[in-house]
Each structure stands twice: as C-alpha cells, then as structure tokens.
Amino acid sequence: MPSLGASAFVALIIAVRSVPVFVAGRFDHGAARNEPPFTVRERTRLALYAGTGLPGTGPVGPAEATDRATTSDDKPRS
C-alpha cells in the first residue's frame, strides 16, 4: 500500500500539471479558431500525458540518428 506522502505527491503533480491542461483544452479551438474544442476524453488523455512529465520531443529513430551522425566531414579520406 502506498504511503500517504507518495499519494500526496501524485495528487500534487496531478493538480499542478494535469488540471491546467485539462481546463485549457476546453477553450482550444485550433489555429484557425473554427474547430470544436477537445472532447472530455481527449482532454483527459492530454492531461494525463502532461502529468507524467514526459518531454515534448519524440524519440529519434535510426534513420534520423544516422543522418545526423554522418556529415561530409565524416566520410573516409582516400
């Protein structure tokens, strides 16, 4: 059973990081301002993702890593 401190910590993270995202999703109408707001289900998913603290950037796949790692300076000299 989790301790009271751990439960309070998780509740604080949800209150500070997830709740504002959930509320803000209600008022987002897209860049063109003509899209419907997010549904409750979509806002919940966004809020839970925001609460995890994961970075906003996606992982770098093998192709991108290879492209970034090899430049014209890295080519073997003949």
Side-chain angles (χ1 to χ4, degrees):
M1 181 167 230
S3 68
L4 182 60
S7 299
F9 181 71
V10 170
L12 183 65
I13 288 174
I14 290 172
V16 171
R17 299 190 72 170
S18 297
V19 171
V21 172
F22 184 82
V23 173
R26 172 67 179 93
F27 302 105
D28 184 16
H29 293 282
R33 307 295 298 158
N34 61 354
E35 298 176 16
F38 290 112
T39 65
V40 173
R41 183 177 183 152
E42 291 170 332
R43 289 187 294 156
T44 303
R45 291 176 70 184
L46 286 169
L48 290 174
Y49 184 78
T52 62
L54 295 174
T57 58
V60 176
E64 289 116 5
T66 304
D67 290 343
R68 290 181 186 177
T70 57
T71 63
S72 60
D73 296 336
D74 295 335
K75 292 181 181 174
R77 295 185 180 140
S78 348

